[in-house]
Amino acid sequence: MKQYLEKLLNQQDLTIEEMKDAATMCFSPETSNSELASFLTALRAKGETSDEAAGLAAVIRAQSSATTSTLTDVMDNCGTGGDYSNSFNISTTAAFVIAGAGIKIAKHGNRSISSKTGSADVLEELGISLSFSKDHVEKVLQENNIAFLFAPHVHPGMKRISKVRKELGIPTSFNLIGPLTNPVNLDSQMLGVYRRDMLPMLAEALNQMGRKRAVVVHGAGNMDEASLSGENHITLLNNGEITSFTLHPADVRLPVYANADIRGDSAKENAAILRSVLEGKRGAYYDTVLLNAGLGIFANGKASTIYDGIELARESIESGAALEKLEYLIKYSSAVAKEAI
């Protein structure tokens, strides 16, 4: 590990093979917590490359207990976190809307690391299991278009690394590459990032990992979600071609809201917000989900424009399809829990 630390501290990039070697060491009990913290800090301070991100993600995915290749045409819409916006769980809510629009979505997430309430916290509050087996995941994706993959459950080897990240209390490279580590083989992806300078790097990393289509978004106000407060910066990956553009809410006929209008709080409060959106309650939360779900549907390729994606998202909510996806997962989680008794 020392040679890689010295290289990073000298502002030198690691090759993809060097990163795979270093990442493997991160999981080794022979690597101390202080070495691990130093590596994470040095990598973030230097700035991650697409090779480093793809290499790190590959090692984590290879060690997952839930890696599957039997499913096709699946997407994810996990963000990096780290924006400290204290927003409600936007991407989690949007995932149900995307599923309601007929797209399979393997929602990869965790408890709160740098925010108040993570996706796992709010879903647990709603009564959704965080410990689906690989077979459970495949079943609910086939039948319901959406499954939740709780990162510590599908990546058991990450336990010590997660503890170090929590102690550091700052976003690390694992925030950036977390969305790349979904053990399901994804065809498309929407990825939100709190750092605008990371858009091209993450798009290229997704390309290296075989995504056919992807949208990487940096929201107005430095959010890791698309925001209605102003101009969003977006990078699109489409079959190996990478392009960038900006998107203002007015471009897709949505109103402008301040980011303060979409703040959340506890898991209980955020669960109530999520449900209210899926029940069709209009306002800042609803419109923010329309924007993010619409971008996700566009990222998947089901909609040829972002505006069309937003309209499909609206239909998913208004028809009750998105809420049905939530209710199915709650009911299925209850059944699985009873089987385990």
Side-chain angles (χ1 to χ4, degrees), residues 41-54:
T41 305
L43 183 59
R44 186 195 175 194
K46 177 191 73 67
E48 303 84 348
T49 66
S50 59
D51 277 350
E52 290 165 345

Side-chain angles (χ1 to χ4, degrees), residues 39-72:
F39 179 78
L40 296 179
T41 305
L43 183 59
R44 186 195 175 194
K46 177 191 73 67
E48 303 84 348
T49 66
S50 59
D51 277 350
E52 290 165 345
L56 182 52
V59 170
I60 295 170
R61 291 187 75 248
Q63 297 192 16
S64 173
S65 63
T67 300
T68 176
S69 59
T70 60
L71 296 165
T72 58

Side-chain angles (χ1 to χ4, degrees), residues 109-115 117-122 124 130 148 150-152 166:
N110 207 337
R111 295 195 186 277
S112 170
I113 298 291
S114 56
S115 62
T117 304
S119 56
D121 302 306
V122 74
E124 187 175 52
L130 304 184
F148 180 68
F150 181 40
K166 193 78 173 177

Side-chain angles (χ1 to χ4, degrees), residues 119-131:
S119 56
D121 302 306
V122 74
L123 292 174
E124 187 175 52
E125 177 68 28
L126 286 161
I128 294 171
S129 173
L130 304 184
S131 56

